[in-house]
Amino acid sequence: MAKITAGVATSHVPAVGAALDSGKTQDDYWKPLFAGYEFSKEWIKNEKPDVIILVYNDHASAFSLDLIPTFAIGCADEFQPADEGWGPRPVPTVKGHPELAWHIAQSTILDEFDMTIVNKMDVDHGLTVPLSLMFGQPEEWPCKIIPLAVNVVQYPPPTGNRCYNLGKAIRRAVDSFDADLNVQIWGTGGMSHQLQGPRAGLINREFDTAFLDGLTKDPQAMAAMPHIDYVREAGSEGIEMVMWLIMRGALNDKVDERYRFYHVPASNTAVGHIILENK
């Protein structure tokens, strides 16, 4: 049977992808950030996931104000890197796992989650930057990837509790899939940042650290946090952290925190990263 063995959370700052693609990873500004992922790249080489369920938010590449699904799962064979206005990132095509993706769609919909099924979409930096941070710059990604897009851009986004419970539903779906697969689930986005208004550039290390602590030790408390707390404490874009709760909900109640990294600044964002393994 398929099994979720670990969860990964990481920020997906677009400037990180630009630094990678332009060969600036060893520049003084960027070197400390990329050094923080060296452990993770070695860890994932040893873990060898067959499939990654990658939770991210689209930035008006596949979706727009014309169509805003709360949760959307990619069920296609492959997904091309999106052109976000300056050409697609020079990264490999994302290869999907349609059989597992359709199974998750069926299972979660019958579990009373309204999942949008997507058979064609391009994937932007929200998905490709985390892959680059964890895998570097390979000629092809070393495993299959199931994109799971979450609306955290246009009000109203889903609650942390809804995301946490969706993670649990995904876990039930994966557990019932009749194939021997090592599955990981990733939550991306965040941490604290605000891109506009008088508080543009806001970063709250104290809040971010408490969130990482709670993600490991008390995810139910994090799931109960209302939207206004994210906005007040982590900035308007801090709401992206609810996507990390989908990852956490798909894991065991008790997990091993294998690695943690936190870095400021990366562009105008606090970069957080954590690896949790099922006990």
Side-chain angles (χ1 to χ4, degrees):
M1 305 297 284
K3 183 179 181 182
I4 293 177
T5 57
V8 173
T10 183
S11 302
H12 61 211
V13 184
V16 170
L20 265 165
D21 301 340
S22 59
K24 295 182 178 180
T25 61
Q26 296 306 301
D27 287 5
D28 289 344
Y29 183 86
W30 290 109
K31 188 174 181 178
L33 183 143
F34 288 104
Y37 286 84
E38 289 303 312
F39 172 91
S40 307
K41 289 197 282 189
E42 290 302 313
W43 172 83
I44 205 162
K45 283 180 186 176
N46 294 325
E47 292 298 309
K48 295 180 173 62
D50 300 303
V51 184
I52 292 168
I53 302 165
L54 203 154
V55 183
Y56 74 109
N57 62 291
D58 176 76
H59 302 80
S61 296
F63 306 112
S64 70
L65 293 179
D66 294 333
L67 178 65
I68 310 171
T70 300
F71 302 116
I73 188 166
C75 295
D77 289 314
E78 62 181 37
F79 307 90
Q80 298 297 327
D83 183 348
E84 299 182 62
W86 48 87
R89 287 193 64 215
V91 295
T93 297
V94 171
K95 303 294 185 180
H97 196 299
E99 296 83 5
L100 179 57
W102 275 100
H103 177 80
I104 293 170
Q106 173 180 288
S107 181
T108 54
I109 289 169
L110 295 180
D111 215 354
E112 302 187 349
F113 284 88
D114 297 324
M115 187 72 69
T116 299
I117 295 165
V118 185
N119 292 314
K120 182 180 180 181
M121 69 175 175
D122 293 343
V123 290
D124 65 19
H125 73 268
L127 184 137
T128 62
V129 166
L131 291 173
S132 296
L133 284 168
M134 294 294 292
F135 291 120
Q137 295 173 293
E139 291 187 6
E140 62 181 38
W141 302 121
C143 62
K144 302 293 182 69
I145 294 124
I146 296 174
L148 179 58
V150 180
N151 170 40
V152 289
V153 176
Q154 178 66 35
Y155 185 85
T159 64
N161 187 61
R162 186 69 168 163
C163 289
Y164 186 61
N165 286 326
L166 175 58
K168 290 185 176 298
I170 290 170
R171 170 68 176 272
R172 291 190 289 270
V174 172
D175 284 348
S176 66
F177 188 67
D178 189 15
D180 185 16
L181 294 174
N182 175 10
V183 181
Q184 290 183 3
I185 183 165
W186 296 10
T188 72
M191 296 190 89
S192 61
H193 64 302
Q194 179 153 327
L195 303 181
Q196 71 289 308
R199 296 199 307 164
L202 179 149
I203 289 175
N204 187 341
R205 181 186 292 267
E206 183 178 355
F207 177 86
D208 291 341
T209 301
F211 187 87
L212 290 168
D213 291 342
L215 201 66
T216 300
K217 300 173 183 176
D218 192 4
Q220 290 87 354
M222 298 300 98
M225 189 187 307
H227 286 152
I228 191 61
D229 284 7
Y230 289 96
V231 176
R232 181 185 296 116
E233 301 295 335
S236 54
E237 279 69 41
I239 194 64
E240 289 179 348
M241 283 188 276
V242 298
M243 296 189 291
W244 295 26
L245 291 167
I246 297 177
M247 175 274 288
R248 186 62 182 90
L251 302 180
N252 294 347
D253 289 341
K254 294 190 179 299
V255 294
D256 288 325
E257 185 178 312
R258 192 73 173 85
Y259 180 67
R260 182 192 295 201
F261 173 66
Y262 184 81
H263 178 75
V264 174
S267 184
N268 53 4
T269 305
V271 169
H273 173 43
I274 197 167
I275 296 174
L276 304 175
E277 295 180 343
N278 272 336
K279 285 184 179 288

